[in-house]
């Protein structure tokens, strides 16, 4: 059975790196994996999405269809709301309790939506935590993406994959240890 995952965030949050590490880990565990990225205006704080589909059988398309995502991992709250239509009826959402107002909001054209978490909770099984605060506790605010990845790994029960080895071969040596800790923090938060 093919699993469908959507990672959504804002440019600069490390959404693509988290997707790459997830895909490499799944491939190492002998899953057939397809990944598709949409960067948008990511350099200017725009929306970034990664579609990941994996299975022990052949996966033909990298694109998660509307209403088919098993899990959405949102690196920013409004992005969770923006992509809610992709979630299947019994799907789950992991949300970083973080607000990054886009250009229309910062320029005063519109307001940041209120009650996002309540709205999400009315439609889905939602896990919410502040990955940025958790990353700061580890001494590196840039590992929030890996904490969110860890929570996905925990929810999808993918903890038997050697994530430490995947991290060691994909992040700079001086950041390997903090990323290993970050992935474990995420796994623990998903419990």
């Amino acid at each position: 059975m093919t699993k469908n995952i959507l990672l959504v965030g804002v440019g600069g949050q490390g959404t693509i790196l988290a997707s790459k590490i997830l895909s490499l880990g799944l491939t190492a565990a002998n899953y057939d994996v397809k990944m598709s990225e949409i960067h948008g205006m990511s350099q200017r704080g725009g929306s970034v999405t990664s579609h990941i589909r994996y299975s022990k059988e052949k996966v033909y398309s990298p694109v998660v269809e509307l209403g088919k995502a098993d899990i959405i991992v949102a690196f920013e709250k409004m992005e969770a709301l923006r992509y809610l239509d992709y979630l299947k009826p019994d799907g789950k959402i992991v949300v970083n309790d973080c607000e990054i107002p886009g250009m229309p909001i910062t320029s005063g054209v519109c307001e940041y939506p209120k009650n996002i978490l309540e709205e999400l909770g009315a439609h889905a099984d939602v896990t919410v935590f502040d990955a940025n605060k958790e990353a700061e506790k580890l001494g590196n605010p840039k590992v929030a993406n890996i904490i969110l990845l860890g929570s996905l790994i925990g929810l999808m029960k993918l903890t038997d994959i050697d994530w430490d080895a995947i991290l060691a071969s994909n992040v700079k040596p001086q950041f390997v240890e903090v990323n290993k800790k970050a992935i474990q923090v995420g796994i623990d938060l998903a419990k």
Side-chain angles (χ1 to χ4, degrees):
M1 172 183 256
T2 301
K3 294 290 185 183
N4 299 294
I5 300 171
L6 197 61
L7 278 71
V8 299
V10 173
Q13 287 191 289
T15 309
I16 302 299
L17 177 61
S19 300
K20 177 184 172 188
I21 290 171
L22 176 62
S23 296
L24 290 169
L26 291 168
T27 300
N30 297 314
Y31 286 100
D32 187 38
V33 181
K34 299 290 184 282
M35 181 175 112
S36 172
E37 307 162 2
I38 300 171
H39 299 266
M41 293 287 292
S42 59
Q43 282 80 10
R44 302 198 184 277
S47 188
V48 176
T49 63
S50 280
H51 296 236
I52 300 166
R53 302 184 71 230
Y54 71 96
S55 177
K56 288 292 185 181
E57 299 167 8
K58 182 75 175 150
V59 176
Y60 292 96
S61 170
V63 179
V64 176
E65 295 177 28
L66 287 172
K68 300 289 185 181
D70 293 287
I71 294 185
I72 295 174
V73 179
F75 290 50
E76 195 276 345
K77 289 192 294 194
M78 190 166 54
E79 296 302 311
L81 196 56
R82 184 187 321 264
Y83 291 96
L84 183 59
D85 288 348
Y86 280 86
L87 193 67
K88 69 183 192 180
D90 61 340
K92 297 177 186 268
I93 303 177
V94 174
V95 182
N96 184 12
D97 193 0
C98 160
E99 293 181 12
I100 302 176
M103 191 57 75
I105 294 167
T106 57
S107 65
V109 173
C110 59
E111 292 183 16
Y112 195 93
K114 297 185 182 355
N115 304 317
I116 290 175
L117 298 177
E118 291 81 1
E119 179 72 19
L120 292 170
H123 297 288
D125 179 356
V126 182
T127 300
V128 180
F129 56 86
D130 189 335
N132 298 2
K133 267 191 190 148
E134 295 297 328
E136 286 171 16
K137 288 180 194 174
L138 293 175
N140 187 334
K142 292 187 175 184
V143 298
N145 62 331
I146 303 302
I147 292 171
L148 288 160
L149 173 61
S151 68
L152 172 65
I153 288 166
L155 285 173
M156 297 296 289
K157 303 195 181 339
L158 297 169
T159 53
D160 56 336
I161 295 171
D162 189 353
W163 296 106
D164 288 352
I166 303 295
L167 287 168
S169 59
N170 287 282
V171 299
K172 292 180 181 175
Q174 65 267 33
F175 300 117
V176 170
E177 286 309 312
V178 71
N179 277 279
K180 286 179 182 179
K181 290 176 185 170
I183 219 163
Q184 189 58 53
V185 166
I187 290 168
D188 292 343
L189 285 168
K191 292 179 181 170

